[in-house]
Every structure is written in C-alpha cells, then in structure tokens.
Amino acid sequence: MPGNPICDFILHLRSGDIPAPVLHRARRFLLDLIGVAAAGSRLPVSRVIKDSAETLFAAGDGHGRPFLFDGRLASPAGAALANATTIDGFDAHDGHPLTKGHAGCGSLAGLIAFADPRETLNGTEALARLIVGYEVAIRAGIALHATACDYHTSGAWVSLGVAAIGARSMELDAARTREALGIAEYNGPRSQMMRCIDHPTMVKDGSGWGAMAGVVAAHLARDGFTGAPAVTVEGENVRHLWADLGARWRLAEQYLKAYPVCRWAQPAIEAAAQLQRDHAIRPEAIRSIRIRTFLEASKLAVCTPATTEQAQYSLPFPVAALLARGRIGPAEIEGAGLKDETVLSLARRIKLMEDAQFSSRFPAERWAVAEIELTDGQVLTSEPAVARGSAENPLSDEEVGHKFRELMEVSGFGERAGRIEEMVLSLEDVPDVTPLLAELARP
C-alpha cells in the first residue's frame, strides 16, 4: 500500500470532503439505526447479550461505554458486542445489496465504543467517523464475497469498519491503522450465513462479534500488536474496489428497510401488497399463494415461526401477515403476533419457487412475483416487484422519520424521539454529542 491512501482516508477524511447528499443519507441512516436499536432493546436477544456483556466485559476503569437504551456500562469491546447485537436483533436496519449484509449496526456500535466520555466529540467528527466505518466495511464486504467461496455473515467484514473507526478515534498513525485492519480481518467471524437462514437463531448476522473484534483490533494495534496485511484490502484481486475510496460513496448505494424482516423477503411482500391494493383480497378468499423469487429468498421457508428470529428469516410469514393484517411491524414478529392463526394458516398455503432469471440477477437485484389463487378459481398475478427503500427507489425523508418515531413509540421511548431526531438531523451543528449519547443510553 504505497503511501497508504486507504489509511489516509480513514485518518484524515474531513466533513468538507463529503458531498452534501452523502452527509444527508448518513444522518438518515443514523436516525434509522437508533429507532431499530430501540425496538431491538425490547427483544430477548438484547437482554441476554447485555447481561452477559456486563459480566464478561466489565467497564473496569470507570469510563465504560453505554448499552443502547439500557443505562448499564461495559468495556468498549463489550458495549460494541451488545449494541451491534441489539440492532441486529430487530432486522430492520440498513444494508448494501452487494455485501448481502449490514454495515450500519456495527458502525454505530463502533462509534459509541470509541466515544471516550473524557473527551469532547463534536457532531461533525462523529458523522465523519460513522461514514468512515460504512465506506471501509462495505468495500471489505464486497471484496470478501468476491474472493471467498463461502457466504459469510456481516461480522466478517464489519470488523474492518469498526477497526477503522477506532484507528481514527484513537489517532493511530498509518502503520498502526494498517495493522488494525489486518487484525480485524483475521479475527472477524467468518460465520456461515446460510446456516442461520436454514436454522434461524440469535446468532443472526454475526455483527456483534464483528464489532467486538474490530474494537479489540484497534486497541491491539495501538499497543503494538501486528496483523497486516488485510487481504480483502490489499490483495491485488480486490485493489480496484478500493481505488475509488473518497470518490465513489458506497454508503449512498445502500437501502433502508420498510419492514423488520430479511431484505430477501421484501420483494415478495411488495408483490403481495401490489395485489392487495389492486384487488382488496380477504384472507378467507385465498386458496393458495405461489411466490417466484431468487434462490436465496426461496430458502426463507419457515411457515410457523416460534421466535422473532424465525419470523424475520421467513418469507411466507411476513407475506401472510401483510395480507391478513395489512402491515408488518414489531407487533407482527413478536409475542402474540407469532400466534395469529389467520396469519399462520395463510403462511402454510404459500409455496416458494425459484425463478432462474431472478437468481441470475442476485445480489445486485432482488425480484419476486406473487400469484394468488382465490377460492373461486381466479388467479391473480403481480408484476415483478423489488423491495422499497433502495438507492433507486428510496424511502422518503418523511417515511424514514415516521419509521423512527413509530419504533421509538412502540418501544416505550416516544417521549425522547423528538429530541433525538432534532440532534441527529442537525448533527454537524452539535458541538458535543454527549447529550445525544446520553439520550441513547438512558433506559
């Protein structure tokens, strides 16, 4: 890496170097992540990971980092583990199509982990750190998918984004930043994503472990531990993916989710919604449903989920919830929503089929078609549909704000939503983010 242009970007990116539309998108992603964290904080996965992190990663020096919407503290590594897992637990966070995963949850967890309470961090620098995390993590994810034979979870490459945030936050030099990236890549969890698709559990996308590994990597590099090179950064076969760093903003290519379930299921949801809008279909009038989609989405086959994780990694269940209840929100994927017999009955009537044409366009594009057969024999077929919220068909600012406020309200934090939203959307004007972090930490 002659001249270390990647390390230079990590360490010296200025807000003035970032186009205004990218800054705007970054603020919206941050707001969305906070709402998702609030919803995730209510789930069993968040309680378990926070209880364990508090025990296993005690704050120790009296300057711990906060758990989101909890009030307790842990070491930077423990807070990163708990906070990224909490966001990942409520599957409504942003992602990039080519990574087939999520850079945001680890980047926010890293930002919090490296926000030293003994120092003043202004909003402009906080936003720059977050964007550095996104840009490094996304490229590392694309590079890993291009060079590894297996499909690894987001944690495998989120670790590099978090290490980059750490290197910038701790003002490492270029040489130690390079070592941090290498340590993070080597120790990032190359866990098997399709295992969690086939058997959904709390391990999910590995983001918590990735964030934890990134924090540890930056601290080790600061203290002289070596680990370079990161082959997904420095390999000759991926160098082209990094050549446009600072010129092409991968963050701007991201999507925001309209629903708290796997992105792969959302084209089918939109296809079913299209038919519902056009024909006002009653659940009892449906005999069967066929969904044609890409291979990976057809693996989301759980029809009767017993847990939130199974509901989020299902395609039939959220499609049935949309048709039966008219929406897919927190109430549909947890608690009593998992036992709605109308939804479950409808989900059992859904058949998933691979469409070879759609499979050939994955992961850059995700498509689905819904065919609904009514009890009178009529068959309704949707137009091919994609998910809402991508860079090409983004959610409006109003929709993003509504999603944030709704998630805050249903999670019991509605009274602070306005203050948080105001600070996030004017982040560059905030001289000290301590009040914002305090609102995010408060239980």
Side-chain angles (χ1 to χ4, degrees):
M1 292 170 61
N4 285 323
I6 296 169
C7 295
D8 185 63
F9 173 87
I10 291 169
L11 299 173
H12 304 301
L13 176 70
R14 298 170 301 171
S15 180
D17 300 327
I18 306 169
V22 175
L23 291 168
H24 178 83
R25 293 275 282 172
R27 290 191 296 269
R28 292 291 168 180
F29 288 141
L30 176 56
L31 187 70
D32 189 71
L33 286 167
I34 293 168
V36 172
S41 72
R42 303 168 57 250
L43 298 176
V45 63
S46 181
R47 174 185 54 78
V48 172
I49 200 71
K50 288 173 180 173
D51 287 349
S52 295
E54 183 185 31
T55 300
L56 298 172
F57 298 90
D61 63 359
H63 299 286
R65 307 302 192 264
F67 295 154
L68 288 161
F69 298 102
D70 184 271
R72 289 176 288 173
L73 302 175
S75 72
L81 170 66
N83 289 333
T85 302
T86 292
I87 297 169
D88 209 20
F90 189 75
D91 204 344
H93 47 321
D94 60 68
H96 190 284
L98 296 183
T99 66
K100 298 183 281 188
H102 313 282
C105 60
S107 296
L108 175 54
L111 177 66
I112 294 170
F114 287 107
D116 191 327
R118 295 163 291 188
E119 300 173 356
T120 298
L121 174 62
N122 64 54
T124 298
E125 171 60 16
L127 197 58
R129 291 182 188 181
L130 188 71
I131 291 170
V132 162
Y134 270 104
E135 293 297 319
V136 171
I138 291 170
R139 281 174 171 77
I142 296 171
L144 181 62
H145 287 307
T147 55
C149 61
D150 201 3
Y151 172 14
H152 299 105
T153 62
S154 300
W157 41 269
V158 157
S159 58
L160 282 83
V162 174
I165 293 173
R168 181 184 178 97
S169 302
M170 296 191 295
E171 300 181 345
L172 304 188
D173 61 20
R176 296 198 181 202
T177 298
R178 180 172 178 254
E179 302 294 348
L181 295 176
I183 299 165
E185 181 198 69
Y186 194 87
N187 292 290
R190 292 200 174 188
S191 35
Q192 311 91 345
M193 188 66 219
M194 292 310 295
R195 196 202 91 176
C196 193
I197 298 297
D198 294 335
H199 308 286
T201 63
M202 291 180 181
V203 296
K204 296 196 77 173
D205 213 37
S207 297
W209 253 252
M212 176 180 66
V215 169
V216 174
H219 279 274
L220 286 173
R222 180 196 62 184
D223 295 338
F225 199 94
T226 59
V231 296
T232 55
V233 178
E234 298 186 38
E236 196 63 42
N237 55 347
V238 298
R239 191 157 298 193
H240 63 287
L241 296 173
W242 297 90
D244 56 5
L245 188 64
R248 178 178 183 175
W249 298 91
R250 292 286 189 175
L251 179 150
E253 302 166 359
Q254 288 224 130
Y255 60 76
L256 282 170
K257 286 186 179 180
Y259 312 105
V261 297
C262 179
R263 183 69 172 178
W264 299 353
Q266 298 199 23
I269 294 170
E270 296 299 344
Q274 179 190 129
L275 293 178
Q276 181 68 283
R277 287 192 302 271
D278 292 345
H279 302 281
I281 308 166
R282 293 175 290 106
E284 60 271 21
I286 297 174
R287 175 177 292 158
S288 65
I289 301 171
R290 290 179 295 277
I291 302 292
R292 290 191 288 112
T293 188
F294 52 97
L295 175 64
E296 287 78 3
S298 72
K299 300 289 188 180
L300 301 169
V302 176
C303 290
T304 55
T307 66
T308 294
E309 288 75 29
Q310 291 177 352
Q312 292 177 326
Y313 283 141
S314 166
L315 192 156
F317 186 80
V319 168
L322 185 282
L323 291 170
R325 298 170 67 130
R327 55 171 285 121
I328 307 164
E332 280 65 50
I333 61 166
E334 58 180 290
L338 298 175
K339 299 178 174 62
D340 187 319
E341 191 50 47
T342 301
V343 174
L344 294 171
S345 173
L346 200 53
R348 288 189 285 265
R349 283 175 264 160
I350 296 178
K351 180 179 181 180
L352 306 182
M353 306 168 64
E354 182 197 359
D355 185 299
Q357 182 181 3
F358 294 160
S359 293
S360 70
R361 297 162 80 168
F362 178 80
E365 301 177 30
R366 294 105 185 265
W367 292 85
V369 167
E371 300 172 355
I372 298 180
E373 182 182 0
L374 304 180
T375 54
D376 64 5
Q378 183 181 8
V379 177
L380 307 173
T381 303
S382 75
E383 295 294 322
V386 296
R388 291 188 298 125
S390 68
E392 295 75 26
N393 62 343
L395 301 181
S396 67
D397 287 352
E398 291 74 20
E399 288 177 294
V400 177
H402 175 77
K403 175 187 172 184
F404 164 74
R405 290 185 292 273
E406 181 181 40
L407 292 179
M408 292 290 288
E409 186 65 38
V410 300
S411 304
F413 307 115
E415 94 313 320
R416 72 181 87 165
R419 295 191 296 277
I420 292 173
E421 187 169 10
E422 181 180 0
M423 283 188 280
V424 169
L425 297 185
S426 60
L427 196 56
E428 291 104 317
D429 299 324
V430 174
D432 183 358
V433 299
T434 299
L436 173 60
L437 295 179
E439 292 287 357
L440 303 187
R442 192 156 53 90

